[in-house]
Amino acid sequence: MLSSVRKVPSGFSFIDKNWGGVYRGGSYLLIGPRKSGRTLIGLQFALENARRGETCVYFTIMRPKDLMIQAASINFDIQSYMNQNLIIVVRVAPPNEIYDMYNPDDYLVEYFNDIITVINQYNPTRIIFDEITPFVGFKNLDYLRNTFLHTIETIEERDITSLFIISEPA
């Protein structure tokens, strides 16, 4: 089993130098307050993958123009990687209106299922879900846990490295 565990560069010198990178097929959760640089970390994580010529799907609730502005702040021309289909930006509409429904949990599960659908379409080696906070408002926390674990396991079985970004407090 240990021979199948591989590390890949994360894009962060501290992590790559001290820990040898991140695990290929590993899942990571980044938690932090708003305006703390979480999106920039996600972009750097995507950039490292694209530099290696591998596809990354970047899920975001941001407008593409705003994401490009954020990327430019770290001298990252995200558009050039998008043109090469190395970074696929998928804008996800936040599920604001569903929380008024009788059982919003079933609708939130569909958002997680859509992650798998997109992965099947693009076959990336890395995904980033920038700002998953609006999608974890389940009333039934066991349902959230089971849904999230199923999503993570499906991603990991495909050897896809994932980064989920969530706001603090969640």
Side-chain angles (χ1 to χ4, degrees), residues 50-65:
R51 282 182 177 155
R52 291 193 335 270
E54 297 182 7
T55 303
C56 175
V57 174
Y58 196 101
F59 296 93
T60 182
I61 59 175
M62 296 175 74
R63 296 179 320 149
K65 183 176 182 173

Side-chain angles (χ1 to χ4, degrees), residues 9 12 28 54 60 69-70 76-77 80 88 108 135 138 150:
F12 302 97
Y28 300 89
E54 297 182 7
T60 182
I69 290 168
Q70 289 275 338
F76 172 16
D77 180 10
S80 67
I88 311 296
L108 290 170
F135 305 93
F138 282 67
H150 172 72

Side-chain angles (χ1 to χ4, degrees), residues 28-67:
Y28 300 89
L29 183 64
L30 175 63
I31 303 171
R34 295 196 185 282
K35 306 291 183 189
S36 64
R38 293 170 300 132
T39 294
L40 296 177
I41 290 171
L43 286 166
Q44 184 66 37
F45 198 64
L47 174 60
E48 178 60 35
N49 201 64
R51 282 182 177 155
R52 291 193 335 270
E54 297 182 7
T55 303
C56 175
V57 174
Y58 196 101
F59 296 93
T60 182
I61 59 175
M62 296 175 74
R63 296 179 320 149
K65 183 176 182 173
D66 294 333
L67 190 63

Side-chain angles (χ1 to χ4, degrees), residues 98-123:
I98 70 164
Y99 289 111
D100 295 331
M101 296 179 174
Y102 176 71
N103 188 2
D105 291 3
D106 291 331
Y107 291 95
L108 290 170
V109 167
E110 290 306 313
Y111 279 91
F112 283 95
N113 290 339
D114 288 344
I115 293 172
I116 304 306
T117 300
V118 171
I119 286 169
N120 289 335
Q121 180 179 356
Y122 293 107
N123 199 29

Side-chain angles (χ1 to χ4, degrees), residues 7-20:
K7 289 191 176 180
V8 292
S10 68
F12 302 97
S13 59
F14 177 82
I15 293 171
D16 296 338
K17 180 181 173 188
N18 293 306
W19 300 330

